[in-house]
Amino acid sequence: MYFITTQQYDARKHSIGGKAKALLLLSNEKLNIPPWVVMPNECFAEIINSSDATDIISTIKNYQISDDFIATIVQAFPNEKYFAVRSSAVDEDGDNFSFAGQFESFLYVTKETLAEKIKQVWLSAYAERIKQYRKNNKLIKNNGISVIIQQMIPAEVSGVGFSINIMNADRDATLINTVYGLGEALVQGKENADCFIIKNEKIESSIVKKVYQTIFDNNEIKKIPVEADKQEKASLTDEQIVAVSKIIRTCVNHFGKPQDIEFAISNNTIYLLQSRAITGLQNISDKKGKYILWDNSNIIESYPGVTTPLTFSFISKSYEKAYKLFSLYMGVSEQVIQKNERIYSHTLGLINGRVYYNLKTWYHMLALLPGYSINARFMEKMMGVKESFDIPESYRLSKTKAWWSIVKMAAKMTRRFVGLPKKRIEFLALLNNTIAEYKNINFGEKNANELMQLFIRFDNTLLNEWKAPLLNDFFAMIWFGLLQKKCEKYNLSKNLNIHNDLLCGSNDIISTQPIHRTIAITSEVLENESYKTLFLNNDENNILEELLSNKIYAPLKNSIDKYLFDFGERCIGELKLESISYNQAPTKFIKIIKSYVESGITKASISSNTEIQVREAAEKQMRIAFVNNPIKQFLFYRTLQKTRALVSARENLRYERTRAFGIVREIFTAMGKHFFTENIIENVSDIFYLKIEEIFDFIEGKSVTQNIRALITLRKETFLEYEKQPTPSERFATYGIVYHANDFYSTARVDQIDGHLKGIGCCPGIVEAKVRVVLQPQDVVSLNGDILVTSSTDPGWVTLFSSAAGIIVERGSVLSHSAIVSREMGKPCIVGVTGLLKTLQTGDTIQMNGSTGEIKIIIKAN
């Protein structure tokens, strides 16, 4: 057994643990560190390795530390009567794990008890609590322990100091806590402590009443009362506070990262006892850092669940291009757009694999619009912005310029609104022609460079002409808001959702066509015995095989082919490039038809005039309200007509986006097949774990890594973990570095709601039925009259709607897809229900009121 001094330390031979290593490294910083020596881990490991015993604990207990060795230690501390014996485990006081309080340490150790205390510290490395700590933090290997023997400082005041204010994560402040006497009571939280915060050379003191202190007296450590005149007096003077703060700063400068120190004061001398990195810093966000508010309550409808890197890289660029174009159309100059490039390139974020809006950049984008300087609050309300942010002056126009911009914008927007129908027609013509051209291309025959150029041309052709959908979205929002306000102004009905009722039964919404067409094919099957037998007696794979090989089914195959040509891209997660469309896997669509056939779903069986009845009832209330004022009725009806047309067009144009994304999916699927054929990737689908720029850089020789297989493996592992993790909050804030020390679940931990639930009523109707919670719609083919309950939906869910008694969605708004389609189908619908999935489970019986948004729990399943 042996010990070493700081001069004898050799990093190649000695493992001395985090605590001793820190003291060693600080030895040249002119700090008052009590003299110390350390018994390195190797001296203990030699004893264990040379023992015949298999039980480590027995080996340690049975080992006798010689009196000569103790005498040698004592000689290293001339004239010292007492010692501190401290642990310094090899992985203690590291950057990520401190092991604070886990190992044994002893104060006021005499030479007579020194051997016993060294063994107790040594034994503590193998204690059950250490094993549990390692297990909890996934630290498998026990790296051993070193033991520090140090001069004992008779502390009059003890303290801990942090180079940041850990109470509020302020990186610009220093925090110091102190007590009278030994620090044992402070680190164990047994006594109240004074608190000093130093920031900008100013001291903020919080002095508590210190009733007791821990001291050494008559050969024992004991707790005694603090003198009455000192109890409410600061335990540190201002000079001492400044001195401790300088020590903390010295440690920070030396190690280059935030530090947590322990110190003691004796005879007006401040002694540094230890310094370590502040652990858990990854959980302490920098509240002074850049503030961002994230929200996915709307975009989750388009990109539900985890989204792959390929899709995210594609939509990030798409949003950037699209909203630059939109801002230009709204009167923002090209010069201003170029100056604020980073706003447009940061509209989206990827949080644990899920797509979120960066609301702060959207707000800044709003501030660039003409008129913001004049009436910011009104514009925020009209644009649906719920949060207010401090906007730099550089983003704003002067009021004079803003008025002039508003006049010009008003004239432009009036012209554009009048010309919107024509623009929609022109856009659809361009889209149809472009898609038709690309549908005739055999992507499988193209090489990687050709596929890349095809994508670039497709992207440039359509994205630069995406004005009509953007303008339509904007005007739909404005006119929907005007309709709602007019309904409130004229007090049309006690029904607060009458504006929704007036929008029911719009037969021109394309989103419902897949349902009608699917049911028509189902009816075709049920009316033909051979078709019916085929679907009832075979699985979807055999059915497809028969359709392809047997001419007797040719008419049915033609109906299915026509459906796939028109709606083959309308599938679950249809805007995610990694989603497999019905065109790519026709068996998925055949499985739906099979379920409809087995359930006997036909047009007659689900035929309902509910949506027409709701609409007619609302229109009747409208006519009654305006019976004595035909002019107001005319103006109101004009608003209603405009809103109906815009909302219908909004939903229909969303489908055109789906078709465009279908082409992009085909191009990159072909790219994946090409990379697979060339043995670049292991699976065709691996292409979706690369960003577009990474794929193109690999093709063009600009890639920073050529081992994309390793990159894909890492991404797949990461995204698999994202799938397993709980879904982050719908809305939360981050500070500073987004992926560091921020809690994405800060408002997501919603407890189960006591009593009934309430959301936004989108389509009237009172239904009482059992709940069916659906998170993976591809696993469900029919709801059989249950109420569909889910977190969010996209247009691909529409085939489930027909078999549902009602629809309840945790996220969404009155203009979301589920709300629009449910109104068209006359299905009671409620969206925006806080705590929905925490409260309801499959099998619960509930009553939902699609008008008021109320959900009453009748019977709990368990």
Side-chain angles (χ1 to χ4, degrees), residues 309-337:
L310 183 65
T311 295
F312 182 70
S313 63
F314 172 58
I315 63 175
S316 294
K317 285 294 183 184
S318 298
Y319 272 73
E320 179 183 350
K321 291 179 183 178
Y323 283 96
K324 281 180 179 177
L325 190 64
F326 175 70
S327 295
L328 194 63
Y329 257 60
M330 291 296 291
V332 182
S333 70
E334 287 190 24
Q335 182 182 3
V336 170
I337 291 172

PDB file of all heavy atoms in Angstrom, residues 309-337:
ATOM      1  N   PRO A 309     -35.398  12.449 -41.858  1.00  0.00           N
ATOM      2  CA  PRO A 309     -34.562  13.578 -42.313  1.00  0.00           C
ATOM      3  C   PRO A 309     -34.846  14.025 -43.743  1.00  0.00           C
ATOM      4  O   PRO A 309     -34.792  15.219 -44.036  1.00  0.00           O
ATOM      5  CB  PRO A 309     -33.133  13.019 -42.185  1.00  0.00           C
ATOM      6  CG  PRO A 309     -33.228  12.004 -41.089  1.00  0.00           C
ATOM      7  CD  PRO A 309     -34.584  11.372 -41.262  1.00  0.00           C
ATOM      8  N   LEU A 310     -35.136  13.078 -44.645  1.00  0.00           N
ATOM      9  CA  LEU A 310     -35.393  13.459 -46.037  1.00  0.00           C
ATOM     10  C   LEU A 310     -36.612  14.360 -46.138  1.00  0.00           C
ATOM     11  O   LEU A 310     -36.577  15.418 -46.780  1.00  0.00           O
ATOM     12  CB  LEU A 310     -35.585  12.217 -46.905  1.00  0.00           C
ATOM     13  CG  LEU A 310     -35.785  12.482 -48.407  1.00  0.00           C
ATOM     14  CD1 LEU A 310     -34.541  13.100 -49.014  1.00  0.00           C
ATOM     15  CD2 LEU A 310     -36.165  11.216 -49.147  1.00  0.00           C
ATOM     16  N   THR A 311     -37.704  13.954 -45.493  1.00  0.00           N
ATOM     17  CA  THR A 311     -38.925  14.766 -45.521  1.00  0.00           C
ATOM     18  C   THR A 311     -38.681  16.124 -44.889  1.00  0.00           C
ATOM     19  O   THR A 311     -39.071  17.159 -45.436  1.00  0.00           O
ATOM     20  CB  THR A 311     -40.067  14.051 -44.793  1.00  0.00           C
ATOM     21  OG1 THR A 311     -40.397  12.853 -45.494  1.00  0.00           O
ATOM     22  CG2 THR A 311     -41.301  14.931 -44.708  1.00  0.00           C
ATOM     23  N   PHE A 312     -38.007  16.140 -43.742  1.00  0.00           N
ATOM     24  CA  PHE A 312     -37.804  17.418 -43.054  1.00  0.00           C
ATOM     25  C   PHE A 312     -36.948  18.357 -43.884  1.00  0.00           C
ATOM     26  O   PHE A 312     -37.227  19.562 -43.959  1.00  0.00           O
ATOM     27  CB  PHE A 312     -37.179  17.198 -41.680  1.00  0.00           C
ATOM     28  CG  PHE A 312     -37.003  18.478 -40.914  1.00  0.00           C
ATOM     29  CD1 PHE A 312     -38.104  19.160 -40.416  1.00  0.00           C
ATOM     30  CD2 PHE A 312     -35.742  19.032 -40.730  1.00  0.00           C
ATOM     31  CE1 PHE A 312     -37.958  20.362 -39.733  1.00  0.00           C
ATOM     32  CE2 PHE A 312     -35.588  20.226 -40.050  1.00  0.00           C
ATOM     33  CZ  PHE A 312     -36.694  20.892 -39.552  1.00  0.00           C
ATOM     34  N   SER A 313     -35.909  17.841 -44.502  1.00  0.00           N
ATOM     35  CA  SER A 313     -35.052  18.710 -45.319  1.00  0.00           C
ATOM     36  C   SER A 313     -35.819  19.256 -46.522  1.00  0.00           C
ATOM     37  O   SER A 313     -35.625  20.411 -46.924  1.00  0.00           O
ATOM     38  CB  SER A 313     -33.807  17.949 -45.787  1.00  0.00           C
ATOM     39  OG  SER A 313     -34.150  16.859 -46.617  1.00  0.00           O
ATOM     40  N   PHE A 314     -36.731  18.446 -47.070  1.00  0.00           N
ATOM     41  CA  PHE A 314     -37.527  18.888 -48.215  1.00  0.00           C
ATOM     42  C   PHE A 314     -38.528  19.966 -47.823  1.00  0.00           C
ATOM     43  O   PHE A 314     -38.606  21.020 -48.459  1.00  0.00           O
ATOM     44  CB  PHE A 314     -38.254  17.685 -48.827  1.00  0.00           C
ATOM     45  CG  PHE A 314     -39.255  18.049 -49.892  1.00  0.00           C
ATOM     46  CD1 PHE A 314     -38.878  18.753 -51.014  1.00  0.00           C
ATOM     47  CD2 PHE A 314     -40.597  17.685 -49.754  1.00  0.00           C
ATOM     48  CE1 PHE A 314     -39.804  19.092 -51.996  1.00  0.00           C
ATOM     49  CE2 PHE A 314     -41.521  18.025 -50.716  1.00  0.00           C
ATOM     50  CZ  PHE A 314     -41.129  18.734 -51.838  1.00  0.00           C
ATOM     51  N   ILE A 315     -39.275  19.727 -46.737  1.00  0.00           N
ATOM     52  CA  ILE A 315     -40.305  20.700 -46.366  1.00  0.00           C
ATOM     53  C   ILE A 315     -39.688  21.984 -45.802  1.00  0.00           C
ATOM     54  O   ILE A 315     -40.278  23.063 -45.937  1.00  0.00           O
ATOM     55  CB  ILE A 315     -41.337  20.111 -45.388  1.00  0.00           C
ATOM     56  CG1 ILE A 315     -40.699  19.712 -44.055  1.00  0.00           C
ATOM     57  CG2 ILE A 315     -42.051  18.918 -46.018  1.00  0.00           C
ATOM     58  CD1 ILE A 315     -41.699  19.229 -43.016  1.00  0.00           C
ATOM     59  N   SER A 316     -38.511  21.879 -45.173  1.00  0.00           N
ATOM     60  CA  SER A 316     -37.859  23.096 -44.664  1.00  0.00           C
ATOM     61  C   SER A 316     -37.581  24.069 -45.795  1.00  0.00           C
ATOM     62  O   SER A 316     -37.871  25.267 -45.698  1.00  0.00           O
ATOM     63  CB  SER A 316     -36.554  22.742 -43.946  1.00  0.00           C
ATOM     64  OG  SER A 316     -36.796  21.997 -42.785  1.00  0.00           O
ATOM     65  N   LYS A 317     -37.023  23.543 -46.879  1.00  0.00           N
ATOM     66  CA  LYS A 317     -36.749  24.393 -48.042  1.00  0.00           C
ATOM     67  C   LYS A 317     -38.047  24.851 -48.711  1.00  0.00           C
ATOM     68  O   LYS A 317     -38.144  25.980 -49.191  1.00  0.00           O
ATOM     69  CB  LYS A 317     -35.885  23.634 -49.044  1.00  0.00           C
ATOM     70  CG  LYS A 317     -34.425  23.512 -48.634  1.00  0.00           C
ATOM     71  CD  LYS A 317     -33.747  24.875 -48.615  1.00  0.00           C
ATOM     72  CE  LYS A 317     -32.272  24.763 -48.268  1.00  0.00           C
ATOM     73  NZ  LYS A 317     -31.650  26.116 -48.161  1.00  0.00           N
ATOM     74  N   SER A 318     -39.034  23.972 -48.728  1.00  0.00           N
ATOM     75  CA  SER A 318     -40.317  24.321 -49.357  1.00  0.00           C
ATOM     76  C   SER A 318     -40.979  25.474 -48.632  1.00  0.00           C
ATOM     77  O   SER A 318     -41.476  26.420 -49.257  1.00  0.00           O
ATOM     78  CB  SER A 318     -41.239  23.094 -49.356  1.00  0.00           C
ATOM     79  OG  SER A 318     -40.686  22.048 -50.118  1.00  0.00           O
ATOM     80  N   TYR A 319     -41.002  25.402 -47.288  1.00  0.00           N
ATOM     81  CA  TYR A 319     -41.609  26.488 -46.508  1.00  0.00           C
ATOM     82  C   TYR A 319     -40.830  27.781 -46.694  1.00  0.00           C
ATOM     83  O   TYR A 319     -41.421  28.866 -46.792  1.00  0.00           O
ATOM     84  CB  TYR A 319     -41.650  26.103 -45.022  1.00  0.00           C
ATOM     85  CG  TYR A 319     -42.893  25.350 -44.632  1.00  0.00           C
ATOM     86  CD1 TYR A 319     -43.093  24.031 -45.015  1.00  0.00           C
ATOM     87  CD2 TYR A 319     -43.892  25.964 -43.879  1.00  0.00           C
ATOM     88  CE1 TYR A 319     -44.234  23.334 -44.666  1.00  0.00           C
ATOM     89  CE2 TYR A 319     -45.044  25.276 -43.513  1.00  0.00           C
ATOM     90  CZ  TYR A 319     -45.204  23.960 -43.914  1.00  0.00           C
ATOM     91  OH  TYR A 319     -46.355  23.280 -43.561  1.00  0.00           O
ATOM     92  N   GLU A 320     -39.511  27.675 -46.725  1.00  0.00           N
ATOM     93  CA  GLU A 320     -38.697  28.873 -46.906  1.00  0.00           C
ATOM     94  C   GLU A 320     -39.036  29.561 -48.225  1.00  0.00           C
ATOM     95  O   GLU A 320     -39.297  30.775 -48.267  1.00  0.00           O
ATOM     96  CB  GLU A 320     -37.213  28.490 -46.870  1.00  0.00           C
ATOM     97  CG  GLU A 320     -36.287  29.670 -47.083  1.00  0.00           C
ATOM     98  CD  GLU A 320     -34.823  29.265 -47.129  1.00  0.00           C
ATOM     99  OE1 GLU A 320     -34.514  28.104 -46.802  1.00  0.00           O
ATOM    100  OE2 GLU A 320     -33.981  30.116 -47.500  1.00  0.00           O
ATOM    101  N   LYS A 321     -39.054  28.794 -49.309  1.00  0.00           N
ATOM    102  CA  LYS A 321     -39.354  29.369 -50.629  1.00  0.00           C
ATOM    103  C   LYS A 321     -40.776  29.907 -50.685  1.00  0.00           C
ATOM    104  O   LYS A 321     -41.024  31.007 -51.193  1.00  0.00           O
ATOM    105  CB  LYS A 321     -39.163  28.308 -51.709  1.00  0.00           C
ATOM    106  CG  LYS A 321     -37.726  27.891 -51.943  1.00  0.00           C
ATOM    107  CD  LYS A 321     -37.657  26.812 -53.022  1.00  0.00           C
ATOM    108  CE  LYS A 321     -36.242  26.314 -53.247  1.00  0.00           C
ATOM    109  NZ  LYS A 321     -36.202  25.233 -54.261  1.00  0.00           N
ATOM    110  N   ALA A 322     -41.711  29.117 -50.149  1.00  0.00           N
ATOM    111  CA  ALA A 322     -43.122  29.484 -50.251  1.00  0.00           C
ATOM    112  C   ALA A 322     -43.420  30.785 -49.516  1.00  0.00           C
ATOM    113  O   ALA A 322     -44.141  31.661 -50.031  1.00  0.00           O
ATOM    114  CB  ALA A 322     -44.000  28.357 -49.709  1.00  0.00           C
ATOM    115  N   TYR A 323     -42.854  30.958 -48.325  1.00  0.00           N
ATOM    116  CA  TYR A 323     -43.205  32.147 -47.551  1.00  0.00           C
ATOM    117  C   TYR A 323     -42.385  33.366 -47.933  1.00  0.00           C
ATOM    118  O   TYR A 323     -42.792  34.493 -47.656  1.00  0.00           O
ATOM    119  CB  TYR A 323     -43.153  31.836 -46.054  1.00  0.00           C
ATOM    120  CG  TYR A 323     -44.399  31.059 -45.679  1.00  0.00           C
ATOM    121  CD1 TYR A 323     -44.382  29.671 -45.624  1.00  0.00           C
ATOM    122  CD2 TYR A 323     -45.592  31.722 -45.494  1.00  0.00           C
ATOM    123  CE1 TYR A 323     -45.543  28.962 -45.348  1.00  0.00           C
ATOM    124  CE2 TYR A 323     -46.752  31.025 -45.212  1.00  0.00           C
ATOM    125  CZ  TYR A 323     -46.734  29.646 -45.149  1.00  0.00           C
ATOM    126  OH  TYR A 323     -47.883  28.957 -44.893  1.00  0.00           O
ATOM    127  N   LYS A 324     -41.297  33.171 -48.607  1.00  0.00           N
ATOM    128  CA  LYS A 324     -40.648  34.321 -49.246  1.00  0.00           C
ATOM    129  C   LYS A 324     -41.561  34.845 -50.351  1.00  0.00           C
ATOM    130  O   LYS A 324     -41.773  36.055 -50.486  1.00  0.00           O
ATOM    131  CB  LYS A 324     -39.294  33.903 -49.846  1.00  0.00           C
ATOM    132  CG  LYS A 324     -38.167  33.791 -48.852  1.00  0.00           C
ATOM    133  CD  LYS A 324     -36.878  33.384 -49.551  1.00  0.00           C
ATOM    134  CE  LYS A 324     -35.716  33.289 -48.582  1.00  0.00           C
ATOM    135  NZ  LYS A 324     -34.472  32.831 -49.241  1.00  0.00           N
ATOM    136  N   LEU A 325     -42.110  33.920 -51.103  1.00  0.00           N
ATOM    137  CA  LEU A 325     -43.019  34.274 -52.192  1.00  0.00           C
ATOM    138  C   LEU A 325     -44.269  34.961 -51.643  1.00  0.00           C
ATOM    139  O   LEU A 325     -44.732  35.978 -52.161  1.00  0.00           O
ATOM    140  CB  LEU A 325     -43.405  33.013 -52.968  1.00  0.00           C
ATOM    141  CG  LEU A 325     -44.159  33.183 -54.287  1.00  0.00           C
ATOM    142  CD1 LEU A 325     -43.307  33.914 -55.305  1.00  0.00           C
ATOM    143  CD2 LEU A 325     -44.571  31.817 -54.824  1.00  0.00           C
ATOM    144  N   PHE A 326     -44.806  34.404 -50.545  1.00  0.00           N
ATOM    145  CA  PHE A 326     -46.009  34.976 -49.935  1.00  0.00           C
ATOM    146  C   PHE A 326     -45.730  36.397 -49.429  1.00  0.00           C
ATOM    147  O   PHE A 326     -46.536  37.312 -49.629  1.00  0.00           O
ATOM    148  CB  PHE A 326     -46.460  34.077 -48.784  1.00  0.00           C
ATOM    149  CG  PHE A 326     -47.634  34.633 -48.010  1.00  0.00           C
ATOM    150  CD1 PHE A 326     -48.891  34.683 -48.574  1.00  0.00           C
ATOM    151  CD2 PHE A 326     -47.470  35.102 -46.713  1.00  0.00           C
ATOM    152  CE1 PHE A 326     -49.978  35.187 -47.870  1.00  0.00           C
ATOM    153  CE2 PHE A 326     -48.530  35.605 -46.009  1.00  0.00           C
ATOM    154  CZ  PHE A 326     -49.794  35.649 -46.571  1.00  0.00           C
ATOM    155  N   SER A 327     -44.585  36.588 -48.750  1.00  0.00           N
ATOM    156  CA  SER A 327     -44.248  37.913 -48.225  1.00  0.00           C
ATOM    157  C   SER A 327     -44.111  38.922 -49.350  1.00  0.00           C
ATOM    158  O   SER A 327     -44.537  40.074 -49.230  1.00  0.00           O
ATOM    159  CB  SER A 327     -42.941  37.845 -47.421  1.00  0.00           C
ATOM    160  OG  SER A 327     -43.098  37.044 -46.279  1.00  0.00           O
ATOM    161  N   LEU A 328     -43.508  38.471 -50.451  1.00  0.00           N
ATOM    162  CA  LEU A 328     -43.373  39.349 -51.608  1.00  0.00           C
ATOM    163  C   LEU A 328     -44.742  39.784 -52.109  1.00  0.00           C
ATOM    164  O   LEU A 328     -44.967  40.956 -52.427  1.00  0.00           O
ATOM    165  CB  LEU A 328     -42.606  38.612 -52.711  1.00  0.00           C
ATOM    166  CG  LEU A 328     -42.072  39.433 -53.878  1.00  0.00           C
ATOM    167  CD1 LEU A 328     -41.047  40.451 -53.400  1.00  0.00           C
ATOM    168  CD2 LEU A 328     -41.460  38.523 -54.931  1.00  0.00           C
ATOM    169  N   TYR A 329     -45.684  38.855 -52.143  1.00  0.00           N
ATOM    170  CA  TYR A 329     -47.040  39.155 -52.588  1.00  0.00           C
ATOM    171  C   TYR A 329     -47.783  40.040 -51.599  1.00  0.00           C
ATOM    172  O   TYR A 329     -48.714  40.753 -51.970  1.00  0.00           O
ATOM    173  CB  TYR A 329     -47.822  37.857 -52.825  1.00  0.00           C
ATOM    174  CG  TYR A 329     -47.940  37.524 -54.285  1.00  0.00           C
ATOM    175  CD1 TYR A 329     -46.802  37.328 -55.054  1.00  0.00           C
ATOM    176  CD2 TYR A 329     -49.182  37.432 -54.898  1.00  0.00           C
ATOM    177  CE1 TYR A 329     -46.901  37.046 -56.402  1.00  0.00           C
ATOM    178  CE2 TYR A 329     -49.286  37.147 -56.246  1.00  0.00           C
ATOM    179  CZ  TYR A 329     -48.143  36.953 -56.993  1.00  0.00           C
ATOM    180  OH  TYR A 329     -48.244  36.687 -58.319  1.00  0.00           O
ATOM    181  N   MET A 330     -47.356  39.987 -50.320  1.00  0.00           N
ATOM    182  CA  MET A 330     -48.020  40.806 -49.306  1.00  0.00           C
ATOM    183  C   MET A 330     -47.416  42.201 -49.202  1.00  0.00           C
ATOM    184  O   MET A 330     -47.804  42.986 -48.339  1.00  0.00           O
ATOM    185  CB  MET A 330     -47.927  40.109 -47.948  1.00  0.00           C
ATOM    186  CG  MET A 330     -48.751  38.838 -47.844  1.00  0.00           C
ATOM    187  SD  MET A 330     -50.533  39.141 -47.981  1.00  0.00           S
ATOM    188  CE  MET A 330     -50.848  40.008 -46.464  1.00  0.00           C
ATOM    189  N   GLY A 331     -46.450  42.510 -50.060  1.00  0.00           N
ATOM    190  CA  GLY A 331     -45.912  43.871 -50.089  1.00  0.00           C
ATOM    191  C   GLY A 331     -44.552  44.037 -49.452  1.00  0.00           C
ATOM    192  O   GLY A 331     -44.055  45.153 -49.322  1.00  0.00           O
ATOM    193  N   VAL A 332     -43.923  42.941 -49.004  1.00  0.00           N
ATOM    194  CA  VAL A 332     -42.568  43.028 -48.450  1.00  0.00           C
ATOM    195  C   VAL A 332     -41.586  43.061 -49.616  1.00  0.00           C
ATOM    196  O   VAL A 332     -41.670  42.239 -50.532  1.00  0.00           O
ATOM    197  CB  VAL A 332     -42.266  41.816 -47.537  1.00  0.00           C
ATOM    198  CG1 VAL A 332     -40.868  41.943 -46.932  1.00  0.00           C
ATOM    199  CG2 VAL A 332     -43.315  41.700 -46.436  1.00  0.00           C
ATOM    200  N   SER A 333     -40.662  44.008 -49.593  1.00  0.00           N
ATOM    201  CA  SER A 333     -39.744  44.171 -50.721  1.00  0.00           C
ATOM    202  C   SER A 333     -38.720  43.040 -50.756  1.00  0.00           C
ATOM    203  O   SER A 333     -38.420  42.413 -49.737  1.00  0.00           O
ATOM    204  CB  SER A 333     -39.015  45.510 -50.621  1.00  0.00           C
ATOM    205  OG  SER A 333     -38.102  45.495 -49.538  1.00  0.00           O
ATOM    206  N   GLU A 334     -38.178  42.810 -51.945  1.00  0.00           N
ATOM    207  CA  GLU A 334     -37.146  41.782 -52.103  1.00  0.00           C
ATOM    208  C   GLU A 334     -35.929  42.105 -51.256  1.00  0.00           C
ATOM    209  O   GLU A 334     -35.270  41.209 -50.718  1.00  0.00           O
ATOM    210  CB  GLU A 334     -36.755  41.663 -53.577  1.00  0.00           C
ATOM    211  CG  GLU A 334     -37.812  40.991 -54.441  1.00  0.00           C
ATOM    212  CD  GLU A 334     -37.289  40.673 -55.834  1.00  0.00           C
ATOM    213  OE1 GLU A 334     -36.052  40.535 -55.977  1.00  0.00           O
ATOM    214  OE2 GLU A 334     -38.111  40.564 -56.756  1.00  0.00           O
ATOM    215  N   GLN A 335     -35.618  43.392 -51.132  1.00  0.00           N
ATOM    216  CA  GLN A 335     -34.463  43.817 -50.333  1.00  0.00           C
ATOM    217  C   GLN A 335     -34.650  43.419 -48.859  1.00  0.00           C
ATOM    218  O   GLN A 335     -33.732  42.908 -48.221  1.00  0.00           O
ATOM    219  CB  GLN A 335     -34.277  45.330 -50.454  1.00  0.00           C
ATOM    220  CG  GLN A 335     -33.061  45.852 -49.695  1.00  0.00           C
ATOM    221  CD  GLN A 335     -32.933  47.361 -49.800  1.00  0.00           C
ATOM    222  OE1 GLN A 335     -33.775  48.031 -50.399  1.00  0.00           O
ATOM    223  NE2 GLN A 335     -31.878  47.900 -49.217  1.00  0.00           N
ATOM    224  N   VAL A 336     -35.858  43.637 -48.339  1.00  0.00           N
ATOM    225  CA  VAL A 336     -36.144  43.275 -46.942  1.00  0.00           C
ATOM    226  C   VAL A 336     -36.108  41.765 -46.765  1.00  0.00           C
ATOM    227  O   VAL A 336     -35.592  41.244 -45.769  1.00  0.00           O
ATOM    228  CB  VAL A 336     -37.527  43.845 -46.515  1.00  0.00           C
ATOM    229  CG1 VAL A 336     -37.948  43.279 -45.155  1.00  0.00           C
ATOM    230  CG2 VAL A 336     -37.470  45.364 -46.464  1.00  0.00           C
ATOM    231  N   ILE A 337     -36.644  41.029 -47.730  1.00  0.00           N
ATOM    232  CA  ILE A 337     -36.641  39.559 -47.657  1.00  0.00           C
ATOM    233  C   ILE A 337     -35.215  39.037 -47.649  1.00  0.00           C
ATOM    234  O   ILE A 337     -34.868  38.163 -46.847  1.00  0.00           O
ATOM    235  CB  ILE A 337     -37.442  38.959 -48.831  1.00  0.00           C
ATOM    236  CG1 ILE A 337     -38.933  39.265 -48.652  1.00  0.00           C
ATOM    237  CG2 ILE A 337     -37.219  37.452 -48.921  1.00  0.00           C
ATOM    238  CD1 ILE A 337     -39.787  38.895 -49.843  1.00  0.00           C
TER     239      ILE A 337
END
